Amino acid sequence: MTVCGIVAEYNPFHAGHAHHLAETRRALGADTAIVCAMSGNFVQRGDLAVMEKYRRAEAAVQCGVDLVLETPLSACLWSASGFAFGAVSLLDALGCVTHLSFGAEHADLALLRRAADLSRAEGEHADALRQALGAGLPYAAAMQQAVSAADPEAGALLTSPNNTLAVEYLCALDTLESMMQPLAVLRAGSAHDSDVPEDGLPSASYLRKLIAQGDADACRSLMPEASFAALTQAIEQGAAPVTRNAVDQAILAHLRRLSPDELARYCGGDGLEHRLRAAIRDNTSFASVCAAAQTRRYPLARVRRALMRAWLDLPTSIPPTAAYVRVLAVGARGRDILRRMKDTCALPVIVKPVTERTLPDALQPALAHDALADDLYALAYPDTALRVGGDHFRKSPFCLS
């Protein structure tokens, strides 16, 4: 069986994601099994997912994914490099994934490899990177400038977010010396963060905006039926949309307790902690704190991730790599993959969270972070009756019959 890994957030699962699945199976064969490493309740832009992770995983399985696993929480709140490495290392640890499929604005694998090779290079390229960082550029912009100086065509790729992630996936595969074969799929539809759907394929941010405005019905034609049904059910039950605004004051109440030295644990300690401390003191919402703290050197997404890490008590010293595999949903061929993983997987596999307490002591701190994150996420449910803690241990994966 060909088993292909995909890294995604499915926030929410939409027609563009269905297109990616279809193109992956068109390239590898209709019977290809697909395993997704999916972000949990917190996503890489430094925000809460619009819908809880088990519901999003169920929607993905209903739409054709065979097995959904949770990307490590630390990786979900990392920059593109850590996010990619954490998710790819999780898929690689399964020991049975043969391919890695990812979308890109330019699906020229040879050119993406050139950009990846330069991203890891030393010598003159490393000097150019240091100079760009010294000039105050954020890391991503400095890397793009340094790669462009050596190879303008490869450097131009790094101006597009999905190309940047594709390059990071290739870097992760090389670092891990993984046997997974990369498959670049040309991204179709709307651009990242676009408000205008193209060819019926929207951006996830456009759908989230509609949902937050109370216009979920407008998403119907832009999402597979099963995914739209999961969304509407969650809304009817008071479990969606989950928005950060609901926990703004809870976040600020925690952040105002932290000194610059304490904040440095969550943002890397390169001076951002002082801007964060001043912004937290002088502003009254998460959004206004972010706006006050961001600069060219400290982009908005990095600021959001740092603040979210501080709220979740998730220091950057925690690596983005997986210490265990958490199953969120099982599809048509998912059981076969899980059976195979018994012989091939290098990590403990958690199917039901209630069994976590039986795992080795060394894993308990990371497991505790997962449970805390889920409890804090619950505070943002629209229905206040759902905001109780402990739900982490009451969840079980969805299994498609």
Side-chain angles (χ1 to χ4, degrees):
M1 178 168 55
T2 299
V3 180
C4 184
I6 285 177
V7 179
E9 294 194 314
Y10 294 154
N11 186 34
F13 190 103
H14 57 66
H17 298 130
H19 171 79
H20 182 204
L21 297 185
E23 288 299 294
T24 297
R25 288 194 168 110
R26 187 180 67 81
L28 299 178
D31 59 347
T32 296
I34 292 181
V35 180
C36 177
M38 189 190 80
S39 299
N41 287 331
F42 294 86
V43 293
Q44 204 255 342
R45 63 194 298 120
D47 208 346
L48 285 70
V50 72
M51 194 163 61
E52 185 267 338
K53 60 188 179 184
Y54 282 96
R55 291 176 183 264
R56 288 172 21 246
E58 177 180 345
V61 161
Q62 297 275 19
C63 294
V65 176
D66 292 295
L67 184 63
V68 182
L69 311 174
E70 184 175 1
T71 298
L73 175 61
S74 181
C76 293
L77 291 171
W78 210 284
S79 62
S81 60
F83 175 78
F85 190 80
V88 173
S89 65
L90 171 68
L91 293 169
D92 186 65
L94 304 186
C96 60
V97 180
T98 58
H99 294 75
L100 178 70
S101 175
F102 47 83
E105 285 88 358
H106 297 83
D108 182 336
L109 193 56
L111 186 57
L112 290 168
R113 284 189 183 280
R114 276 162 48 191
D117 289 342
L118 285 168
S119 295
R120 297 189 308 276
E122 299 179 353
E124 291 182 6
H125 169 73
D127 291 339
L129 177 61
R130 282 191 290 271
Q131 290 173 6
L133 290 171
L137 288 180
Y139 184 84
M143 178 62 74
Q144 193 272 332
Q145 181 173 300
V147 172
S148 294
D151 186 334
E153 190 178 12
L157 291 178
L158 300 181
T159 59
S160 300
N162 287 288
N163 286 342
T164 299
L165 269 176
V167 167
E168 294 295 351
Y169 294 142
L170 292 173
C171 288
L173 290 173
D174 285 349
T175 300
L176 293 164
E177 298 182 349
S178 175
M179 298 300 291
M180 290 188 289
Q181 297 299 306
L183 172 66
V185 173
L186 182 64
R187 192 178 189 277
S190 301
H192 183 75
D193 283 343
S194 170
D195 280 349
V196 182
E198 295 182 16
D199 300 323
L201 303 178
S203 68
S205 60
Y206 175 67
L207 296 182
R208 291 193 298 272
K209 181 180 291 187
L210 292 175
I211 296 165
Q213 293 171 347
D215 193 13
D217 249 8
C219 301
R220 183 186 297 271
S221 64
L222 304 172
M223 300 173 66
E225 182 179 347
S227 180
F228 181 74
L231 172 65
T232 54
Q233 182 186 60
I235 292 173
E236 290 167 0
Q237 294 175 348
V242 175
T243 64
R244 193 190 58 245
N245 293 341
V247 288
D248 252 18
Q249 297 309 303
I251 296 174
L252 286 179
H254 178 75
L255 295 179
R256 286 190 177 179
R257 299 173 185 271
L258 303 179
S259 68
D261 286 346
E262 289 169 322
L263 287 167
R265 299 176 60 232
Y266 307 107
C267 65
D270 62 348
L272 175 57
E273 64 272 19
H274 300 292
R275 289 196 63 85
L276 291 179
R277 179 67 184 127
I280 292 164
R281 181 192 61 220
D282 297 338
N283 290 274
T284 59
S285 71
F286 188 94
S288 60
V289 169
C290 291
Q294 73 172 108
T295 64
R296 183 175 74 156
R297 182 178 183 183
Y298 306 125
L300 179 58
R302 182 184 171 192
V303 170
R304 284 196 302 241
R305 287 193 295 267
L307 294 176
M308 200 60 67
R309 278 180 168 273
W311 186 46
L312 300 177
D313 189 23
L314 194 69
T316 55
S317 59
I318 296 177
T321 48
Y324 42 83
V325 177
R326 184 182 304 283
V327 178
L328 297 180
V330 182
R333 284 163 285 213
R335 292 177 182 83
D336 291 338
I337 299 170
L338 286 173
R339 279 193 288 269
R340 185 179 297 192
M341 284 166 51
K342 290 180 180 179
D343 296 325
T344 64
C345 188
L347 300 172
V349 178
I350 300 171
V351 178
K352 294 185 177 181
V354 72
T355 64
E356 291 179 12
R357 296 187 179 95
T358 66
L359 294 177
D361 289 346
L363 298 180
Q364 294 305 318
L367 293 167
H369 271 117
D370 284 357
L372 171 65
D374 288 349
D375 280 353
L376 294 178
Y377 178 87
L379 294 173
Y381 283 132
D383 184 348
T384 57
L386 299 178
R387 296 179 181 178
V388 296
D391 203 37
H392 174 87
F393 296 104
R394 294 188 288 268
K395 297 286 187 179
S396 291
F398 169 78
C399 294
L400 188 67
S401 59

